[in-house]
Amino acid sequence: MIDFKVEHIQEVSSTNTYLKDLTKQAGVFEGTVILADFQTSGKGRGTSKWISDRAENLTFSILVEPGIKASHHFSLVEFVSLALIDTLKNYGINSRIKWPNDIYIADRKIAGILIENVLVENVIFSSVIGIGFNVNQEIFPTELPNPVSLKLLLHRSTKLDEIFKTILDRLSYRYEQLKAGEFDLLHKGYGNNIYYSNKKIRYYQNERLREGILRGFSESGEILIENDKGDIISFLFGEIQIL
Ligand code: BTN
């Protein structure tokens, strides 16, 4: 079990940045959680932003110290994605993972994950896991691609501390699996919950639109796509953009 210590703050630039800075101080351990009502510069993956109305949703970051080999880095994405899928199941909602780590319901995004690792000699010493989860927001800025919240799905509000507890509980459970070296189990679970699995996908590679069938993922998180010749080709995140 992760021994969570939650610091709830009203406003911060980004909970990931705040927690990463905090880890430079002594006495900050695995299980430290920074939960913010509002982020002034919430970060998404790459150059994207995470935009979330004040106190309507969950925006938080967790510090873990997995001590796993860098080659297992994708199992961090897998355990967190599965914890969020588990959480939504508790609310009767079937969600899917859009590679690499967005949580979708049909074609709408409910949550995003941003993981920042610190490596020491090929071992992941610590990871700051940032999660943005849309809970009660009903109106989103138009620049966000197809967002959805729990409220839009359930037609009722959910108490933030209630769903937060469920997420922490599921994260702790899935993290135990990672710590026990259950990498195959996490990898299978991730593969079984993927959006578009064995379906035709369209993607851009080097500005050319291509098509293929999504066949799965390597253990290091590369997407495996079958092309029209029947060959399986793999791509890292960033090498292609899936439509
Ligand atoms: C993405 O979908 O691109 C990832 C979004 C991650 C957003 C969360 S909100 C809490 C934490 N702090 C941040 O600045 N980002 C993550």
Side-chain angles (χ1 to χ4, degrees):
M1 290 287 285
I2 306 181
D3 185 14
F4 291 112
K5 282 181 202 66
V6 182
E7 185 185 337
H8 187 167
I9 47 188
Q10 285 185 345
E11 187 170 309
V12 70
S13 61
S14 149
T15 55
N16 264 42
T17 309
Y18 181 92
L19 184 51
K20 276 196 300 176
D21 287 346
L22 212 60
T23 58
K24 292 172 192 148
Q25 298 172 15
V28 179
F29 301 113
E30 175 164 276
T32 304
V33 184
I34 305 300
L35 170 69
D37 287 345
F38 186 67
Q39 299 183 116
T40 52
S41 309
K43 300 189 293 180
R45 271 192 325 276
T47 54
S48 65
K49 294 179 189 155
W50 186 259
I51 302 167
S52 172
D53 278 359
R54 188 180 295 271
E56 292 284 355
N57 304 311
L58 288 171
T59 48
F60 62 100
S61 302
I62 294 178
L63 177 68
V64 290
E65 295 174 341
I68 53 173
K69 285 191 189 147
S71 55
H72 285 305
H73 72 97
F74 201 64
S75 59
L76 291 165
V77 171
E78 293 174 339
F79 102 81
V80 181
S81 302
L82 287 172
L84 297 183
I85 298 254
D86 292 347
T87 301
L88 283 159
K89 242 179 228 149
N90 266 14
Y91 286 86
I93 294 171
N94 273 325
S95 55
R96 300 233 153 230
I97 305 157
K98 187 167 177 201
W99 178 74
N101 49 6
D102 289 337
I103 307 300
Y104 269 66
I105 289 120
D107 58 352
R108 302 173 81 187
K109 178 167 170 174
I110 193 161
I113 302 161
L114 177 66
I115 300 180
E116 300 184 84
N117 295 322
V118 173
L119 267 85
V120 178
E121 288 176 4
N122 218 26
V123 168
I124 302 177
F125 171 71
S126 69
S127 305
V128 168
I129 295 169
I131 297 174
F133 197 115
N134 297 331
V135 183
N136 290 323
Q137 189 165 336
E138 289 180 279
I139 298 166
F140 290 90
T142 46
E143 73 247 40
L144 296 183
N146 276 5
V148 73
S149 66
L150 203 55
K151 183 164 187 181
L152 289 173
L153 295 165
L154 298 178
H155 308 291
R156 63 168 173 86
S157 296
T158 303
K159 284 197 176 122
L160 292 181
D161 57 352
E162 170 200 301
I163 182 159
F164 185 52
K165 269 197 208 118
T166 308
I167 296 175
L168 293 188
D169 178 65
R170 299 316 298 170
L171 281 167
S172 188
Y173 172 79
R174 291 289 183 177
Y175 187 61
E176 285 297 303
Q177 295 181 331
L178 180 138
K179 290 294 275 184
E182 303 257 33
F183 302 119
D184 285 351
L185 186 139
L186 291 170
H187 192 59
K188 282 206 186 89
Y190 180 90
N192 288 340
N193 282 288
I194 209 77
Y195 193 40
Y196 291 135
S197 193
N198 292 317
K199 296 220 169 70
K200 194 178 270 182
I201 56 167
R202 296 194 308 147
Y203 59 97
Y204 276 104
Q205 184 201 2
N206 298 333
E207 292 176 15
R208 280 188 59 187
L209 185 61
R210 296 169 194 271
E211 267 187 12
I213 299 172
L214 199 166
R215 290 299 186 203
F217 300 88
S218 70
E219 286 192 358
S220 50
E222 290 150 317
I223 193 166
L224 306 175
I225 298 176
E226 184 180 328
N227 66 16
D228 51 7
K229 296 190 191 92
D231 298 329
I232 305 284
I233 37 182
S234 64
F235 297 102
L236 288 167
F237 180 70
E239 289 181 332
I240 60 168
Q241 286 82 46
I242 298 177
L243 298 185

